[in-house]
Amino acid sequence: MTTPMLMTVIAVIAISGFFIARARSIKLADTAGGLSKLHSRPNYYGSYVAILAAIPALVLLLLWQAVEPNLIHSLVMAQLSDSYVTQFGNADLLYSQIGNVARGITQTDDAVLLAAADHYQMLNQLGTTLRFTAMTSLALAGLAFGWRSLRLRLRARNRVENVMQAFLLLCSTLAILTTLGIVLSVLFEALRFFQMIPVTEFIFGTEWSPQIALRADQQAASGSFGAIPLFTGTLMISFIAMCIAAPVGLMSAIYLAEYASPRIRGIVKPILEILAGIPTVVYGFFAALVAAPFIRDVAQAIGFSSASSESALAAGAVMGIMIIPFVSSLSDDVITAVPQSLRDGSYGLGATPSETVRKVVLPAALPGIVGGLLLAVSRAIGETMIVVMAAGLSANLTANPLDSVTTVTVQIVTLLVGDQEFDSPKTLAAFALGLTLFVVTLALNVIALNIVKKYREQYD
C-alpha cells in the first residue's frame, strides 16, 4: 500500500473517531441531564479522539519513511560480497541497478543481481505490510484510548487547543529554521568565494567579467569580479522605476482615498490591481518589443545616436509600471487609515479638501507611505525577468540610462545557468551577489517595517 493510500486510511479512522466520540459525548450529556453538564462542546470531544487516532500514526509514518530506505539499503548490500561490489565499481550505482531490476525497469542475466533484486523486493513488500499493520493498529489504538477516556468533565477543549498551539509553534519554528538554513547556505558559499577573491576587489572593483578559463594559457584565466557595475546598474534601474511608480502610485492612491466616489473607486482600483496580476515575463516582452525600440527611436531622433536597443531606461520604465499597483495599494491603505477626526478638525477650521490632504492627511500618513516606498524599492531591486529582456547582460559602468546595463539578480541567474562546478569563483560569485542582495533588501525591509510600526503606534 502506498503512502497516500495509508494516509487516507488513517484519515478515515480519525474522521470515524470524531463522529463516534461526538455521538458518545452527546449521549453522556443526555444521560446526565443536558449538554450543560459537559466541560466542552461535543465537537471538542470528537476532535480530541480524532487527534489521538491521527497524530501518533502520522508521526510513526514519518519516522518509518525516514528509517526504512536506509535499513533496506543496508540489508540488501549486506548480502553482497565485497568483491562483487568492488567489481561493479560503485556501491550506490549497484543499489540503484538492483532497484531497477526489482521494479522490472532493467533486465539482466546476472544471478547475483537477480537474487539481490528478489531480496530487495521481498524487503519492500515486508516493509509495506508491517507499515500498514503498525499504522492502522496505532490509529485504532488511539481511537480506542480516546473513546475509553471520554467523560463529562474531560477537558477536551483545553487539550485540543494545546495541540493546535503546539502545531502552530511547530510551523513557526519550521519557517524560522528554513530561513536560517537559506541564510547559512548562502553565507557559507559566499565565504568560500571570499577566500578566493578579496572582499575589497568584489565590493570596489569596477570590472565584472567572471569568466574562468579551463586552461592556464587561455585568456581571462583569473576573471574579474568587481561588482560596482552591477550595483550601479541595479540602482539606476531601480531609481528609474521608482521615479515612475512613486508619483503615479501615490497620486492614484490620494485620488482613490480622498476624491473618488465609491462607484469610481470600485472601477479604478480593480483595474490598477490587474497590473499586479500580470506575470513579469509579459512585462519583459512588452519592454523588449515595444518600450525599448520606442525609446531607442525617440532618442536617436533627438540626437542621441548611441542609444542602445537594450537600455536601463526601457527596463526601469516598464518596471515602474509594474510596481505602480504595489505603491498605490500600500499608500491607499495608509491614507485610509488616517483617523477621520483629523480630517473633520481640518474642515472645521475652514480648510479646503486639497489643503486637508496636503497639510493634514499626507503628513499624518507620511511614515506609512515612506515604509511602503521602501518595500517597493526592495521589489524593484529583486526583479530579474524585465532586466534580462530589456536591459541586456552587459556589465557596463555608466550613468547613461540609454546604455545597456545589468543587475545583481540577472548575474546570479546567468552564473548558475547550465552545469556548473561549485568550486570555482565564477559559480561561487552568485552566492556572494545573493548575500549582498539579501543584506540590502533585509535592511530596507527592516527600516520600512520599523517606520510603519512607529506610525501604527502613533495613530491606532
Side-chain angles (χ1 to χ4, degrees), residues 2-354:
T2 62
T3 300
M5 294 177 62
L6 184 56
M7 294 181 66
T8 302
V9 171
I10 295 174
V12 169
I13 295 174
I15 293 172
S16 301
F18 172 85
F19 288 106
I20 292 172
R22 185 177 183 277
R24 177 172 169 79
S25 65
I26 294 175
K27 184 176 180 181
L28 289 173
D30 292 341
T31 304
L35 292 177
S36 61
K37 301 297 181 180
L38 292 174
H39 174 273
S40 308
R41 296 181 65 84
N43 284 345
Y44 281 108
Y45 289 90
S47 300
Y48 169 69
V49 173
I51 289 173
L52 288 177
I55 291 184
L58 292 176
V59 171
L60 181 59
L61 177 60
L62 291 176
L63 294 175
W64 195 290
Q65 292 293 104
V67 172
E68 184 185 38
N70 294 328
L71 182 60
I72 293 178
H73 180 277
S74 300
L75 293 175
V76 170
M77 299 302 292
Q79 75 167 7
L80 300 175
S81 63
D82 293 339
S83 59
Y84 185 82
V85 176
T86 304
Q87 178 184 356
F88 197 85
N90 187 301
D92 293 333
L93 184 59
L94 174 59
Y95 183 74
S96 176
Q97 183 73 3
I98 292 172
N100 291 335
V101 173
R103 288 185 289 269
I105 300 175
T106 304
Q107 303 296 326
T108 182
D109 295 330
D110 191 332
V112 177
L113 203 59
L114 289 173
D118 291 339
H119 190 207
Y120 174 90
Q121 193 169 15
M122 183 271 293
L123 290 175
N124 272 286
Q125 292 174 352
L126 178 62
T128 300
T129 303
L130 291 177
R131 182 179 59 178
F132 174 77
T133 303
M135 303 305 144
T136 53
S137 299
L138 187 58
L140 291 173
L143 189 152
F145 175 79
W147 185 83
R148 289 177 61 86
S149 64
L150 291 179
R151 57 185 185 276
L152 292 175
R153 306 313 299 169
L154 176 68
R155 297 178 177 271
R157 177 175 62 83
N158 300 58
R159 299 185 180 184
V160 170
E161 290 181 350
N162 288 338
V163 172
M164 295 306 299
Q165 288 179 2
F167 176 73
L168 294 176
L169 178 61
L170 176 63
C171 293
S172 302
T173 304
L174 289 176
I176 294 173
L177 292 178
T178 301
T179 304
L180 184 62
I182 294 173
V183 173
L184 291 178
S185 63
V186 174
L187 179 62
F188 175 75
E189 299 296 338
L191 291 177
R192 290 180 59 196
F193 170 77
F194 290 128
Q195 290 175 355
M196 304 175 185
I197 305 297
V199 178
T200 54
E201 178 183 342
F202 176 76
I203 297 178
F204 301 109
T206 58
E207 183 179 355
W208 178 264
S209 180
Q211 301 301 322
I212 301 298
L214 299 178
R215 301 189 310 273
D217 59 345
Q218 288 182 318
Q219 295 295 324
S222 59
S224 300
F225 296 93
I228 288 293
L230 309 186
F231 298 153
T232 57
T234 302
L235 293 176
M236 182 189 298
I237 292 177
S238 300
F239 176 76
I240 294 172
M242 293 308 300
C243 285
I244 295 176
V248 175
L250 182 58
M251 293 302 113
S252 63
I254 293 173
Y255 171 75
L256 292 175
E258 299 296 325
Y259 295 102
S261 64
R263 179 173 176 272
I264 297 298
R265 178 182 173 88
I267 296 174
V268 175
K269 191 171 178 63
I271 294 176
L272 275 177
E273 292 178 348
I274 287 175
L275 295 175
I278 299 176
T280 56
V281 67
V282 176
Y283 283 107
F285 279 125
F286 174 75
L289 300 179
V290 179
F294 174 77
I295 292 175
R296 179 200 60 200
D297 294 340
V298 171
Q300 291 178 352
I302 60 177
F304 294 96
S305 58
S306 61
S308 173
S309 59
E310 295 177 333
S311 64
L313 183 59
V318 177
M319 189 185 299
I321 295 173
M322 182 188 69
I323 299 176
I324 286 174
F326 191 81
V327 176
S328 176
S329 178
L330 290 176
S331 301
D332 180 54
D333 293 339
V334 172
I335 293 172
T336 305
V338 173
Q340 183 63 32
S341 59
L342 296 181
R343 298 180 177 85
D344 294 340
S346 177
Y347 295 146
L349 292 174
T352 63
S354 62

